């Protein structure tokens, strides 16, 4: 049991307290859609939390946004499920998250190198799209195809799904068409109008009147529910647009605040919640610093009154929503590159695809771009937007994955890829809406959710991986009798420089091929890795790999601080381990043949310049054999 859950008096459950009521089989006795619908107006009154499963219950078996992933969500009694809607070239409405198809539909696409086929979704007709099969997280082809909105809604009814459905429409022109699809399928079952919510950028329909007018103009049932979302750029667009009438309760000077107020005034069973993209508390005036031992510490607003916020800001919009007792929606990001991914999920890095950034990203902080390329981290997305003439919103940090911070700003409806951790945590604090989610499901270790790592020491163990480093990307070498590994050196002399060496991976010798890698963040260089002889860690004589000067041997040393640049390596996705040298030319680790040991060849590792590298400077960092 994770005792971290008991360092606050109010927290009563553990993620692995499987004998508690929270381990009840969640596949049976789901709350009905009618219960979920009726609960919409109770969320704000009770100040409770309801979670929405982003992209369905995808795993290594079920691709994201597939009908099978949604069916798993229904079986798991999710209170709600959120998915994404986009247009194809021929204006077919499809369920798809990204702007490009490489990650989900092209086996030949490499997200790490951004190479191979990766066309835009909107460049393909639906007839072309459905010829391609969805890929799993391990990039294996399934027999599943991208569903249309009609497919998804009919399948939902066919399988008696009880979760509410949020359709987030990415293309503005697709919003009326999505409403038409709901209206069309509702002919089969009119209850669908109380079960499906369209989520959209508030700038497209700044007030409920604009929304209703669109529905009327499209000859659509005006009962279709709406979930508007506002972000800094949304506020700018609304403020730059036509004047919006002031609500009678407030004299807001800006269009965006007026728009938020009008949406917040609307009944919950027409507008279940209003979502704000807010990342920190900087624009609340009075704040308190909260030392958070479970996750990161943060500034919390002392109160959520309108007077405690700067005008025109995301904080102001939050306070407006709360002043009308409207449920506040938010998205809690979880690094999705490692979600459900087998193999290494820590101790290595991935590329940073954001322009004007340096170095790689710690794999535990990595998110896919929505163009399928890997990756970015949250700090890359902090911005500054002029939301009103002369008024800027500046994001200094991203607190969205801090669950206590979300509660400090009054969040009620949370969309996330890992709703299990959120449900269990808020069940423990008493914030979870037990009517909507009576039986939370403990998160699974194989999900590899960094959110769950924050709360469970058992999950934290997977951060410290045992790895092998194999020459030539792990290819078998006939002359060497098989694959070739980096080996540690067990000589106990702490002060002696010990040469790094390579040998047959299958050899039965006293030296160890088991290494441990860790990621080090270095200013102006990004995420770098250090390589440790795992045996030396266990013996208390900790040694790490050090790069020598050009044509010198790499060695095992004990000065393993992050300030020792000779121990820091940049991992290239094409297989190179590049030494970080801030003053001279790039150098790489390369294995070279030296002599024989117990009838097998062995070799050293030398430093070589970039223009001299061979395949023996290309390394695979793999889970240990």
């Amino acid at each position: 049991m994770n005792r971290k859950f008991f360092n606050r008096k109010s927290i009563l459950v553990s993620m692995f307290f499987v004998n508690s009521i929270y381990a009840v089989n969640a596949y049976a006795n789901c709350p009905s859609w009618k219960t979920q619908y009726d609960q919409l107006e109770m969320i704000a009154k009770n100040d409770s939390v309801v979670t929405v499963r982003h992209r369905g219950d995808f795993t290594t078996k079920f691709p994201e946004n597939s009908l099978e992933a949604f069916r798993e969500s229904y079986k798991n009694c999710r209170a709600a499920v959120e998915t994404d809607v986009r247009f194809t070239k021929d204006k077919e409405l499809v369920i798809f998250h990204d702007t490009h198809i490489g990650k989900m539909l092209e086996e030949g696409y490499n997200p790490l190198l951004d190479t191979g086929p990766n066309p835009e979704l909107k460049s393909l007709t639906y007839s072309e799209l459905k010829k391609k099969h969805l890929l799993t997280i391990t990039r294996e082809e399934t027999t599943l195809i991208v569903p249309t909105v009609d497919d998804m809604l009919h399948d939902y009814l066919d399988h008696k799904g009880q979760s509410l459905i949020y359709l987030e429409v990415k293309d503005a022109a697709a919003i009326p068409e999505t409403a038409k699809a709901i209206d069309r399928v509702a002919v089969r079952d009119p209850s669908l109008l109380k079960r499906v919510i369209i989520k959209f950028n508030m700038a497209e329909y700044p007030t409920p009147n604009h929304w209703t007018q669109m529905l009327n103009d499209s000859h659509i049932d005006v009962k279709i529910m709406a979930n508007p979302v506002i972000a800094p750029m949304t506020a700018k667009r609304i403020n730059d647009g036509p004047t919006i009438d002031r609500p009678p309760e407030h004299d807001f000077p800006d269009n965006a605040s007026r728009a938020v107020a009008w949406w917040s005034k609307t009944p919950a069973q027409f507008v279940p919640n209003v979502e704000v993209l807010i990342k920190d508390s900087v624009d609340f005036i009075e704040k308190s610093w909260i030392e958070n031992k479970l996750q990161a510490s943060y500034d919390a607003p002392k109160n959520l009154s309108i007077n405690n916020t700067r005008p025109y800001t995301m904080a102001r919009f939050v306070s407006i929503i709360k002043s009308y007792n409207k449920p506040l929606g938010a998205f809690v990001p979880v690094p999705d590159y490692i979600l459900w991914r087998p193999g290494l999920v820590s101790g290595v890095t991935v590329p940073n695809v954001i322009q004007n950034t340096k170095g790689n990203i710690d794999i535990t902080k990595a998110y896919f771009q929505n163009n399928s390329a890997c990756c970015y981290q949250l700090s890359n997305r902090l911005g500054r937007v002029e939301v009103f003439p002369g008024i800027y919103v500046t994001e200094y940090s991203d607190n969205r994955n801090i669950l206590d911070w979300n509660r400090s700003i009054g969040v009620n409806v949370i969309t996330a890829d890992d709703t299990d951790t959120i449900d269990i945590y808020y069940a423990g604090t008493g914030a979870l809406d037990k009517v909507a989610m009576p039986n939370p499901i403990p998160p699974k270790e194989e999900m590899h959710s960094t959110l769950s790592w924050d709360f469970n020491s058992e999950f934290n163990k997977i951060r410290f991986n045992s790895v092998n480093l194999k020459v030539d990307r792990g290819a078998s070498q006939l002359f060497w009798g098989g694959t070739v590994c980096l080996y540690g050196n067990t000589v106990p002399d702490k002060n002696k420089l010990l040469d790094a060496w390579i040998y047959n991976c299958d050899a039965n010798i006293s030296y160890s091929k088991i290494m441990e890698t860790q990621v080090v963040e270095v200013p102006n260089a990004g995420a770098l890795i250090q390589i440790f002889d795992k045996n030396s860690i266990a013996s208390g004589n900790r040694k790490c790999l050090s790069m020598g000067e050009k044509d010198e041997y790499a060695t095992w040393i004990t000065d393993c601080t992050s300030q020792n640049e000779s121990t820091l390596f940049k991992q290239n996705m094409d297989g190179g381990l590049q030494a970080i040298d801030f003053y001279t030319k790039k150098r790489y680790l390369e294995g070279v043949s030296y002599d024989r040991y117990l009838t097998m060849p062995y070799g050293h590792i030398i430093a070589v310049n970039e223009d001299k590298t061979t395949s023996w400077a290309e390394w695979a960092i793999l889970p240990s054999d």
Side-chain angles (χ1 to χ4, degrees):
M1 184 183 299
N2 178 10
R3 298 190 181 277
K4 281 189 176 182
F5 268 96
F6 291 87
N7 64 2
R8 293 185 184 179
K9 188 174 181 180
S10 62
I11 299 176
L12 303 175
V13 298
S14 163
M15 287 184 177
F16 278 97
F17 194 14
V18 294
N19 293 321
S20 74
I21 65 168
Y22 306 118
V24 171
N25 184 354
Y27 283 72
N29 303 318
C30 297
S32 70
W33 71 262
K34 181 67 164 53
T35 297
Q36 300 292 5
Y37 176 73
D38 290 341
Q39 201 63 13
L40 293 176
E41 64 179 0
M42 300 302 296
I43 299 168
K45 290 179 182 179
N46 298 332
D47 193 25
S48 58
V49 172
V50 169
T51 57
V52 183
R53 190 73 168 201
H54 186 228
R55 296 185 280 189
D57 276 60
F58 63 91
T59 62
T60 52
K61 184 178 180 181
F62 305 116
E64 67 179 51
N65 286 331
S66 65
L67 295 181
E68 278 72 8
F70 300 138
R71 292 170 192 168
E72 285 301 298
S73 294
Y74 312 148
K75 291 178 185 177
N76 286 332
C77 300
R78 302 298 179 194
V81 176
E82 191 234 45
T83 187
D84 308 278
V85 177
R86 293 188 184 276
F87 262 151
T88 60
K89 183 178 180 179
D90 54 345
K91 304 303 181 184
E92 183 69 64
L93 292 170
V94 292
I95 302 296
F96 204 78
H97 183 272
D98 294 349
T99 59
H100 291 62
I101 70 167
K103 182 186 74 173
M104 293 308 304
L105 292 169
E106 296 285 358
E107 281 188 283
Y109 177 69
N110 186 331
L112 293 175
L113 299 177
D114 194 21
T115 57
N118 187 28
E120 280 193 276
L121 176 75
K122 65 182 181 182
S123 71
L124 300 170
T125 65
Y126 185 62
S127 177
E128 294 170 325
L129 195 67
K130 67 182 182 181
K131 293 177 182 177
K132 301 175 183 293
H133 291 149
L134 288 167
L135 304 177
T136 65
I137 284 168
T138 54
R139 304 196 58 71
E140 295 175 357
E141 186 178 4
T142 68
T143 59
L144 309 176
I145 63 172
V146 175
T148 65
V149 170
D150 286 63
D151 291 338
M152 191 260 189
L153 295 179
H154 280 295
D155 189 77
Y156 169 66
L157 294 175
D158 290 342
H159 287 81
K160 304 186 186 309
Q162 301 302 309
S163 310
L164 299 183
I165 303 295
Y166 283 79
L167 298 177
E168 181 171 13
V169 186
K170 301 292 190 178
D171 301 320
I175 297 173
E177 297 306 311
T178 303
K180 289 178 183 178
I182 297 169
D183 197 47
R184 182 166 57 244
V185 180
V187 172
R188 170 184 170 184
D189 186 343
S191 73
L192 205 67
L193 298 175
K194 297 182 178 180
R195 303 164 76 170
V196 183
I197 303 109
I198 297 181
K199 186 174 180 178
F200 57 89
N201 187 319
M202 191 185 292
E204 305 303 336
Y205 303 98
T207 70
N209 286 340
H210 291 96
W211 175 257
T212 302
Q213 187 63 52
M214 178 274 290
L215 296 175
N216 282 327
D217 291 346
S218 302
H219 307 292
I220 302 170
D221 195 308
V222 295
K223 296 185 182 70
I224 291 176
M225 294 184 285
N227 171 201
V229 181
I230 189 165
M233 281 303 299
T234 310
K236 175 178 173 53
R237 285 181 58 194
I238 295 173
N239 286 331
D240 289 345
T243 300
I244 294 173
D245 292 338
R246 298 184 181 188
E249 301 88 354
H250 298 287
D251 188 23
F252 297 126
D254 59 311
N255 270 347
S257 293
R258 298 172 189 174
V260 171
W262 284 114
W263 279 110
S264 300
K265 284 168 60 70
T266 310
Q269 292 184 328
F270 178 65
V271 179
N273 58 284
V274 178
E275 187 168 319
V276 179
L277 180 59
I278 180 171
K279 298 180 181 179
D280 58 28
S281 302
V282 66
D283 291 315
F284 290 97
I285 297 168
E286 292 188 359
K287 299 179 284 287
S288 299
W289 181 250
I290 305 298
E291 293 289 341
N292 190 323
K293 295 182 180 179
L294 295 178
Q295 294 185 280
S297 298
Y298 59 91
D299 267 327
K302 287 190 174 180
N303 63 72
L304 299 178
S305 69
I306 292 174
N307 291 336
N308 193 36
T309 61
R310 290 180 56 225
Y312 317 106
T313 64
M314 300 300 106
R316 172 60 57 91
F317 304 150
V318 166
S319 69
I320 293 170
I321 293 165
K322 302 306 290 186
S323 74
Y324 285 100
N325 205 29
K326 169 68 67 177
L328 172 64
F331 181 78
V332 171
V334 180
D336 63 351
Y337 182 77
I338 62 173
L339 278 181
W340 297 102
R341 186 173 298 277
L344 294 178
V345 293
S346 66
V348 291
T349 63
V350 289
N352 192 329
V353 298
I354 303 296
Q355 292 182 351
N356 303 318
T357 56
K358 293 185 177 180
N360 291 341
I361 299 172
D362 185 336
I363 196 172
T364 67
K365 300 178 180 179
Y367 295 81
F368 279 107
Q369 287 268 85
N370 66 2
N371 67 357
S372 287
C374 175
C375 285
Y376 73 93
Q377 57 189 351
L378 293 182
S379 59
N380 297 142
R381 295 294 182 88
L382 298 175
R384 186 170 188 261
V385 177
E386 187 179 24
V387 294
F388 196 78
I391 304 294
Y392 291 84
V393 167
T394 303
E395 298 165 338
Y396 293 97
S397 60
D398 196 326
N399 294 337
R400 289 178 297 162
N401 59 0
I402 304 175
L403 299 188
D404 286 344
W405 177 79
N406 278 279
R407 290 301 289 152
S408 79
I409 64 167
V411 171
N412 302 106
V413 180
I414 293 179
T415 304
D417 289 316
D418 173 14
T419 53
D420 293 338
T421 299
I422 298 169
D423 286 340
I424 290 289
Y425 181 71
Y426 285 140
T429 65
L432 185 70
D433 190 311
K434 297 287 189 63
V435 175
M437 191 67 179
N439 298 309
I441 303 169
K444 296 178 175 62
E445 181 177 340
E446 59 268 29
M447 182 189 289
H448 303 317
S449 163
T450 60
L451 191 62
S452 68
W453 293 358
D454 289 340
F455 299 102
N456 196 287
S457 58
E458 289 300 313
F459 287 179
N460 261 323
K461 289 180 180 178
I462 66 174
R463 295 193 188 202
F464 304 104
N465 287 297
S466 297
V467 302
N468 299 143
L469 272 75
K470 297 187 177 183
V471 174
D472 195 14
R473 304 191 195 185
S476 181
Q477 309 295 324
L478 180 62
F479 173 71
W480 292 71
T483 55
V484 179
C485 284
L486 169 68
Y487 276 81
N489 200 320
T490 57
V491 175
D493 188 341
K494 292 184 178 181
N495 299 315
K496 183 178 180 181
L497 291 177
L498 305 172
D499 293 345
W501 64 295
I502 50 177
Y503 196 62
N504 182 291
C505 293
D506 296 325
N508 184 18
I509 56 177
S510 59
Y511 295 94
S512 175
K513 63 183 178 180
I514 301 178
M515 305 295 145
E516 185 174 290
T517 55
Q518 74 176 19
V519 176
V520 177
E521 302 282 351
V522 177
N524 300 318
L528 308 175
I529 67 170
Q530 290 181 301
I531 303 163
F532 295 87
D533 173 3
K534 194 152 188 174
N535 270 6
S536 73
I537 297 174
S539 69
N541 184 20
R542 192 166 181 254
K543 296 190 181 80
C544 57
L545 192 66
S546 172
M547 170 69 82
E549 296 296 326
K550 176 179 175 295
D551 294 331
E552 289 185 353
Y553 291 154
T555 56
W556 293 105
I557 65 172
T558 56
D559 178 11
C560 300
T561 64
S562 59
Q563 288 74 39
N564 185 349
E565 293 174 2
S566 75
T567 70
L568 305 179
F569 300 93
K570 180 179 179 182
Q571 182 183 1
N572 294 346
M573 296 310 113
D574 60 359
L577 280 173
Q578 176 184 321
I580 298 302
D581 191 327
F582 296 99
Y583 309 106
T584 59
K585 194 171 184 179
K586 296 176 183 176
R587 289 168 293 131
Y588 288 80
L589 291 174
E590 182 169 38
V592 293
S593 179
Y594 183 72
D595 208 332
R596 302 185 76 83
Y597 175 71
L598 298 178
T599 75
M600 289 283 191
Y602 78 90
H604 287 288
I605 302 173
I606 63 171
V608 295
N609 281 348
E610 183 179 16
D611 58 358
K612 289 188 177 181
T613 58
T614 69
S615 64
W616 279 63
E618 296 173 355
W619 297 78
I621 304 178
L622 302 169
S624 60
D625 297 335

